[in-house]
Amino acid sequence: MTAPTPGARCPHPQCPGCPGQARPVPAQLEAKRGRVAEAFGRHFAPADLPPIDPTRPSPRLEGYRAGAKLAVARDRRGVRVGIYREGTHQVVDVSGCRIHHPLVARGVRAVRGLLARAPGLASSGRGGEGWLRYVTFQAGTAEGSLLITVVTRTPEGAGLLASLAARLREAVPELVGLAWNVNPTDGNEVYGPEWRCAWGSDRLRERFGAVWVTASAGAFLQANREQAAWAYGEAFRQLAPGPEETAVDLYCGAGGLALHLAAGAGRVVGVEANPRAVADARASAQAAGAAAAFFAGPVEEVLPRLLAGGLRPDVAALNPARRGAEPATLDALRGAHPRAIAYLSCHPETLARDAARLCRDGAYRIASVQPLDFLPHTDHVETLALFRAA
């Protein structure tokens, strides 16, 4: 596990992104385990509480974040590319962040440097309000590539973005593409519905363990690639699907976990609401020659339909967003009664809530709960929980 530079301090003390940097790492890990334990304590009787394993540390404490979504703004001191100050739309510049993967960090600095020459592209004061609203970064750590996405308020400016891409390529030769998203809405969502490619490719490849995944701009990829690879591999080992078995992966994203399951299962079925991610998963499965089929649509609607059509999962995996799984998804899964379920969660409270629903009436028992430090120095904790049919 790589440690921070001795005596180093964050160059952005106003940034709210990593509030735990001053705490010793063992204390951070125990606090994250405590959060998971407290969440389960709110949803299970003391006699039914599962043991919570010690938090698995991240292989890296700096340079681990291979994806970043940053807002753009300017004031009298210049352009800022960073994150919002808590509870506001005031942007704190993070162009010197040591948490970012080196390729992401170089991309952020290059974007900020170019915007300094054309500050009128960024809004004055509040972030996310000008023509150029956000810039997001994804590093393909396995191949040393970088994909940058710009989010604009209007669809004008193709020539300007082509020029921006040319200058970015000079600063970051590893750049494989400049994707373009148009988001005219005033909400807090970073991306709008319209996607374009300003230059190069709007996809990159990433490897999780032995699995290669193709990801479009805007598709979700776990920011800590090494920790995610361990989690996917551990879920596969725990579920241990056999060649005569069918595995389902719900909220499958671009297919990283599903393709791990395909190494053992005779058949894999993935379900994901984002159609772009489903297209990515299908491309990755085809490239790998995996026996996997992916379906686009809300999981709570697609899964019952597949089960009614004859799908009989032997094992299942879930990796939902922070809000957790929908009750209809959990009830459909309970009705299908796979022999084992692996649930990778980014929110302890919704995991504990969903675990209680899965275990209701003794349908499942919790075999293990493993907290994972995906984002060191933050309050965030991922958790991999294994359920076995009673």
Side-chain angles (χ1 to χ4, degrees), residues 12-200:
H12 306 296
Q14 294 181 321
C15 173
C18 304
Q21 286 195 71
R23 300 184 68 187
V25 172
Q28 294 185 42
L29 298 177
E30 181 54 34
K32 295 185 180 192
R33 179 185 177 277
R35 284 190 60 209
V36 176
E38 289 172 4
F40 273 84
R42 286 189 286 271
H43 292 271
F44 286 83
D48 298 326
L49 279 174
I52 310 298
D53 293 338
T55 304
R56 184 181 192 271
S58 171
R60 300 177 188 274
L61 297 176
E62 291 187 345
Y64 64 81
R65 192 174 187 112
K69 298 178 181 178
L70 304 179
V72 176
R74 64 182 169 89
D75 60 16
R76 55 185 174 81
R77 291 172 293 180
V79 173
R80 302 189 300 279
V81 179
I83 65 176
Y84 292 131
R85 194 187 308 273
E86 191 170 1
T88 77
H89 280 79
Q90 299 300 316
V91 177
V92 178
D93 187 82
V94 296
S95 55
C97 179
R98 292 193 294 267
I99 298 304
H100 288 159
H101 184 278
L103 277 172
V104 172
R106 287 173 53 202
V108 173
R109 290 194 295 270
V111 167
R112 186 175 183 270
L114 290 174
L115 290 180
R117 304 178 195 174
L121 298 179
S123 67
S124 177
R126 289 163 57 93
E129 293 186 336
W131 175 76
L132 181 58
R133 306 182 63 185
Y134 303 98
V135 184
T136 71
F137 305 81
Q138 285 285 0
T141 63
E143 295 184 321
S145 58
L146 181 67
L147 175 62
I148 296 178
T149 301
V150 292
V151 182
T152 65
R153 185 172 293 277
T154 65
E156 294 82 24
L160 180 61
L161 292 182
S163 176
L164 177 65
R167 294 180 179 275
L168 285 173
R169 287 156 55 196
E170 295 176 0
V172 189
E174 296 88 348
L175 185 71
V176 295
L178 182 67
W180 182 8
N181 178 265
V182 180
N183 183 4
T185 67
D186 291 324
N188 290 324
E189 293 292 329
V190 172
Y191 298 124
E194 185 177 345
W195 287 91
R196 304 179 180 188
C197 186
W199 171 82

Side-chain angles (χ1 to χ4, degrees), residues 358-382:
L358 285 172
C359 294
R360 193 175 59 196
D361 302 323
Y364 284 90
R365 62 177 180 84
I366 302 175
S368 63
V369 180
Q370 173 65 73
L372 301 159
D373 191 12
F374 269 54
L375 303 178
H377 314 307
T378 75
D379 295 330
H380 178 88
V381 55
E382 298 264 340

Side-chain angles (χ1 to χ4, degrees), residues 159-255:
L160 180 61
L161 292 182
S163 176
L164 177 65
R167 294 180 179 275
L168 285 173
R169 287 156 55 196
E170 295 176 0
V172 189
E174 296 88 348
L175 185 71
V176 295
L178 182 67
W180 182 8
N181 178 265
V182 180
N183 183 4
T185 67
D186 291 324
N188 290 324
E189 293 292 329
V190 172
Y191 298 124
E194 185 177 345
W195 287 91
R196 304 179 180 188
C197 186
W199 171 82
S201 174
D202 61 354
R203 292 181 172 187
L204 56 69
R205 296 202 318 155
E206 184 58 283
R207 187 176 64 205
F208 296 91
V211 169
W212 285 92
V213 173
T214 297
S216 297
F220 173 75
L221 287 177
Q222 293 282 5
N224 190 327
R225 311 286 203 247
E226 293 173 283
Q227 194 77 307
W230 185 91
Y232 294 160
E234 182 65 13
F236 170 75
R237 287 188 290 273
Q238 291 182 352
L239 293 176
E244 304 301 321
E245 292 189 309
T246 296
V248 297
D249 184 13
L250 308 177
Y251 315 93
C252 67

Side-chain angles (χ1 to χ4, degrees), residues 304-364:
R305 188 165 66 242
L306 292 174
L307 295 174
L311 176 66
R312 297 292 180 265
D314 297 286
V315 297
L318 300 87
N319 187 192
R322 284 179 58 86
R323 65 179 179 273
E326 295 78 9
T329 298
L330 298 172
D331 291 346
L333 202 54
R334 278 167 48 93
H337 208 60
R339 63 171 176 82
I341 300 171
Y343 190 139
L344 182 60
S345 168
C346 61
H347 195 292
E349 187 65 28
T350 56
L351 170 62
R353 179 202 68 196
D354 292 351
R357 194 174 188 100
L358 285 172
C359 294
R360 193 175 59 196
D361 302 323
Y364 284 90

